[in-house]
């Protein structure tokens, strides 16, 4: 007698929970991603449904997934797509720091070409040219330091104004490291042109 009631009660409870509506997704809300093709969705479902048979198969799947993630990251670094960027490049603060650096000329971005010229001068047999190369090293280093301090001060001020509540730790160092790269070699690729206000 008691068993039948408990069984009835157990049977009734799932029906009630199934009948309760879960919070539906707002149909007007954007998905944030394109709808996959039917064949892609079916392939993905099949691959997820089949559990790996052994460790070798699991390792192979992990490698493939890692390769796919790396490919997405490479595309994002070229296009500036915020969704697939590496964690160090993500967020509005880091994006602003990149745009701030990319919108202006900096002395540090010419460090590599200048270093090559100075090294060539220092290898020449003339003592006078060697002295000039040493002096040029000093001038270049001082100019880079002064320029970097100026960029750091201005960037800190702009970040405080524009993003008062966002965490800004490491953003200035990130921007200064970017100045050391030549513009065409920077990753993520510059999204603003020189002189454009970020």
């Amino acid at each position: 007698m008691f068993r039948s009631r408990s069984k009835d009660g157990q049977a009734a409870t799932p029906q009630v929970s199934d009948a309760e509506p879960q919070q539906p997704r707002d149909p007007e809300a954007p998905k944030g991603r394109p709808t996959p093709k039917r064949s892609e969705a079916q392939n993905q479902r099949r691959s997820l449904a089949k559990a790996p048979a052994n460790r070798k198969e699991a390792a192979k799947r992990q490698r493939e997934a890692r390769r796919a993630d790396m490919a997405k990251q490479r595309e994002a670094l070229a296009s500036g797509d915020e969704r697939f960027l590496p964690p160090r490049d993500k967020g509005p603060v880091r994006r602003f720091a990149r745009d701030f650096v990319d919108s202006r000329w900096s002395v540090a971005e010419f460090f590599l070409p200048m270093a090559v010229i100075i090294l060539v001068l220092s290898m020449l047999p003339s003592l006078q040219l060697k002295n000039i190369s040493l002096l040029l090293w000093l001038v270049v280093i001082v100019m880079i330091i002064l320029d970097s301090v100026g960029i750091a001060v201005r960037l800190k001020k702009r970040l405080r104004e524009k993003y008062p509540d966002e965490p800004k730790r490491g953003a200035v160092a990130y921007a200064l490291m970017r100045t050391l790269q030549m513009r065409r070699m920077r990753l993520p690729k510059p999204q603003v042109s020189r002189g454009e206000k970020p």
Side-chain angles (χ1 to χ4, degrees):
M1 186 172 175
F2 290 111
R3 284 183 194 157
S4 62
R5 278 188 187 169
S6 64
K7 281 180 188 173
D8 292 341
Q10 286 173 359
T13 50
Q15 291 173 355
V16 174
S17 65
D18 288 346
E20 285 176 1
Q22 295 177 343
Q23 284 188 339
R25 187 179 153 278
D26 181 13
E28 297 295 316
K31 273 191 304 192
R33 60 181 171 76
T35 303
K37 292 180 182 173
R38 176 177 280 183
S39 58
E40 289 174 9
Q42 285 174 344
N43 287 340
Q44 192 176 12
R45 254 186 298 194
R46 282 192 197 114
S47 64
L48 289 172
K50 291 177 188 172
N54 52 28
R55 286 176 64 187
K56 199 173 181 180
E57 181 68 28
K60 186 181 173 186
R61 281 193 191 180
Q62 276 185 332
R63 275 196 307 274
E64 286 170 3
R66 203 176 308 122
R67 252 187 234 119
D69 288 344
M70 291 301 288
K72 280 181 185 175
Q73 272 190 13
R74 276 194 299 275
E75 285 173 26
L77 287 169
S79 65
D81 187 356
E82 208 47 49
R83 292 173 299 166
F84 302 114
L85 285 176
R88 72 182 171 90
D89 298 311
K90 274 188 178 174
V93 172
R94 295 293 169 108
R95 184 180 181 89
F96 182 81
R98 284 196 304 272
D99 292 347
F100 186 84
V101 167
D102 295 338
S103 66
R104 64 195 65 233
W105 295 92
S106 62
V107 180
E109 69 184 282
F110 300 107
F111 174 72
L112 282 175
M114 286 190 288
V116 170
I117 292 165
I118 292 167
L119 279 171
V120 169
L121 285 173
S122 67
M123 281 189 249
L124 294 173
S126 170
L127 186 64
Q128 193 175 7
L129 285 175
K130 284 183 180 178
N131 289 337
I132 289 169
S133 69
L134 284 172
L135 186 65
L136 278 173
W137 268 124
L138 187 65
V139 169
V140 166
I141 289 166
V142 168
M143 283 173 65
I144 288 172
I145 289 169
L146 290 174
D147 189 40
S148 298
V149 168
I151 288 171
V153 169
R154 289 194 300 273
L155 179 58
K156 272 183 188 175
K157 186 182 174 188
R158 293 288 304 277
L159 285 173
R160 276 197 300 267
E161 289 169 4
K162 194 157 182 161
Y163 303 102
D165 302 327
E166 294 277 340
K168 294 173 275 295
R169 187 177 176 189
V172 174
Y174 172 77
L176 292 178
M177 287 301 293
R178 192 169 173 85
T179 61
L180 288 167
Q181 300 166 331
M182 293 172 77
R183 184 181 168 88
R184 69 180 67 170
M185 296 170 73
R186 291 175 184 168
L187 289 174
K189 295 280 184 197
Q191 301 294 309
V192 293
S193 54
R194 293 202 199 265
E196 192 180 329
K197 213 170 181 183

